[in-house]
Amino acid sequence: CYQWKAKKQCNHRVLVGYMSSERPLKFVTGTKKYKHVTTTAIPRLEYRDPKAEELIQAGQPVIITGSDLVGSAYHWDLDYLCANLGNGLYTVYSSRNGKFKYYDEKKVSNVPSFQPPTSHTDMTFQDFASKLKRKDNSNWIYLQQPLNDTVGPRIEMDFKGFNWDFAYRQMKRNRWGPLTSNLLLVGMEGVITPAHYDEQENLFAQIQGYKKFLLFHPDQFECLYPYPIFHPHDRQSQVDFDDPDLKKFPQFPKLKGYEGIVGPKDVLYIPMYWWHQVESLEGHGETISCTFWFKAAPTEKVVYPLNAGQKVAIMRNIEKMIADTLKDNKNMPHFMKTMVQGRYS
Ligand SMILES: CCC[C@@H](CC(=O)O)C(=O)C(=O)O
Ligand SMILES: [Zn+2]
């Protein structure tokens, strides 16, 4: 199991003493601590610990150890994946600054001035792996591809060997909807997925390398200023954590959340609507992860007061309805300001 030594802050880098019974003492160099972002540790619990189940049922994040959710993939590394993923094509994103802010291509036409921050191409895993080894810091790359039936027989066998009992037990116990996808993520050291939220429950399994997660409760919505719903960056925060515009986003410094380093064999439960920012830590090789996304649990009976996630869902529905009704997104700011200005303050 892992014991975490006291964190030591030194010149904006956080060294987190890291020791496990399976690995020599290793300093997992954390990343810069973001100014204005206050965090406490994400709980780290053994999967048999009833507290872990309680946290998941309460829709709270938790790093689960010992589940072996992807135990049959612990041997996955670049060479093994090159040899066994087959010659299918994989979606590889490229970024000039190491940040991979997701955008919805179907919404690009809504914002004519939109400049995609990343590009993507399809290539064989072998091509990707050779680019990865040539680590070029002017071109960061990040493979993000749903595992599908183009994979070779060994990968298929490994996939079938996942601890599906654990995954489906969580799904049933928490009344989640069906599993929708397993996304294979292979990231160059240092890549960052900026703060965003997803509309599905996620069991995030780490296979190789270390990822630092920042997580924020849905009630931090007013500190994170998501893009408008019709914008390609819907669900993504507008705030650049490295250089926040506090005139435009004055609530940002009130942000409070959780942080944790997710290492090999760890599984992080990311509850739906929880904001997260994820960084592949330098110095520990490329990261290999696999997501398990589940549809939301159906809301049988609405219980008041509504929780923050439900309020985000309601805000999204209202925003969608206004956008659909007005038919012109330029009219939305004035329409919504008129609706509340001087009436609800
Ligand atoms: C495309 C998914 C990226 C992932 C974050 C990361 O590992 O970089 C994430 O945001 C999630 O699993 O929800
Ligand atoms: Zn996400």
Side-chain angles (χ1 to χ4, degrees):
C1 68
Y2 302 93
Q3 286 93 28
W4 294 88
K5 291 202 169 156
K7 256 199 260 186
K8 195 158 63 72
Q9 183 115 5
C10 54
N11 61 3
H12 291 308
R13 294 189 72 81
V14 174
L15 291 176
V16 180
Y18 172 83
M19 184 171 75
S20 95
S21 52
E22 293 148 2
R23 284 175 185 69
L25 182 65
K26 186 193 273 205
F27 275 88
V28 180
T29 49
T31 57
K32 48 191 174 304
K33 292 284 287 176
Y34 291 106
K35 253 178 86 186
H36 309 302
V37 181
T38 311
T39 58
T40 55
I42 301 169
R44 169 183 293 276
L45 298 167
E46 238 272 339
Y47 83 107
R48 283 167 299 211
D49 183 336
K51 181 94 179 87
E53 295 298 345
E54 283 164 30
L55 286 169
I56 296 174
Q57 279 169 14
Q60 295 286 324
V62 53
I63 297 173
I64 304 155
T65 61
S67 71
D68 287 338
L69 173 56
V70 292
S72 55
Y74 289 160
H75 57 287
W76 287 7
D77 59 18
L78 282 189
D79 294 340
Y80 180 86
L81 293 176
C82 276
N84 293 287
L85 266 178
N87 44 23
L89 295 180
Y90 288 78
T91 306
V92 176
Y93 292 85
S94 297
S95 155
R96 312 296 295 165
N97 62 7
K99 293 179 182 177
F100 291 78
K101 188 188 286 187
Y102 170 79
Y103 68 92
D104 182 344
E105 296 196 349
K106 295 188 296 303
K107 297 188 174 180
V108 170
S109 57
N110 296 340
V111 182
S113 59
F114 179 69
Q115 296 291 326
T118 59
S119 59
H120 61 84
T121 50
D122 292 344
M123 63 181 79
T124 64
F125 193 89
Q126 294 75 8
D127 284 351
F128 167 70
S130 60
K131 280 175 183 290
L132 209 50
K133 286 178 182 138
R134 287 202 304 274
K135 190 167 160 73
D136 158 10
N137 261 2
S138 66
N139 178 29
W140 304 69
I141 53 176
Y142 201 166
L143 182 144
Q144 302 180 356
Q145 171 75 34
L147 281 171
N148 53 39
D149 50 13
T150 64
V151 298
R154 302 263 310 261
I155 301 290
E156 187 183 344
M157 188 180 66
D158 297 339
F159 181 82
K160 283 180 179 154
F162 286 173
N163 185 347
W164 293 106
D165 285 350
F166 173 78
Y168 287 123
R169 198 164 56 247
Q170 296 308 326
M171 183 184 85
K172 288 197 188 69
R173 180 176 286 145
N174 299 291
R175 294 182 311 102
W176 295 341
L179 176 80
T180 56
S181 67
N182 295 100
L183 196 65
L184 173 66
L185 300 166
V186 183
M188 186 184 268
E189 294 183 1
V191 297
I192 292 179
T193 300
H196 70 281
Y197 66 86
D198 299 300
E199 294 182 273
Q200 298 201 26
E201 304 288 354
N202 186 357
L203 291 175
F204 184 96
Q206 188 65 5
I207 295 166
Q208 296 293 353
Y210 295 81
K211 283 183 167 176
K212 178 173 180 183
F213 277 78
L214 297 178
L215 278 156
F216 306 99
H217 191 288
D219 68 12
Q220 298 294 297
F221 186 100
E222 42 259 74
C223 304
L224 287 164
Y225 303 88
Y227 286 85
I229 204 156
F230 55 78
H231 193 283
H233 283 324
D234 173 27
R235 295 183 292 109
Q236 319 293 308
S237 172
Q238 297 179 87
V239 185
D240 176 355
F241 278 36
D242 289 315
D243 180 20
D245 176 344
L246 298 185
K247 278 203 179 39
K248 206 170 166 196
F249 309 121
Q251 303 297 318
F252 180 67
K254 293 182 184 164
L255 186 61
K256 288 189 174 29
Y258 299 82
E259 72 174 71
I261 291 179
V262 175
K265 307 188 182 181
D266 289 346
V267 174
L268 167 66
Y269 167 51
I270 310 174
M272 184 171 67
Y273 293 124
W274 275 66
W275 297 83
H276 45 288
Q277 166 144 321
V278 191
E279 182 168 2
S280 291
L281 297 188
E282 304 273 0
H284 301 282
E286 58 281 336
T287 52
I288 303 177
S289 320
C290 183
T291 70
F292 291 66
W293 268 307
F294 297 86
K295 279 209 180 298
T299 308
E300 260 123 32
K301 188 173 173 309
V302 178
V303 176
Y304 289 90
L306 297 178
N307 64 42
Q310 288 169 320
K311 288 177 184 169
V312 172
I314 292 170
M315 285 192 278
R316 290 184 64 82
N317 289 337
I318 291 173
E319 220 178 304
K320 272 179 204 159
M321 192 182 71
I322 295 175
D324 291 349
T325 311
L326 293 183
K327 289 274 175 283
D328 180 351
N329 298 327
K330 282 197 295 297
N331 295 337
M332 284 191 76
H334 179 255
F335 182 91
M336 292 198 281
K337 273 190 204 133
T338 307
M339 195 161 66
V340 296
Q341 209 154 12
R343 301 180 56 229
Y344 283 95
S345 36

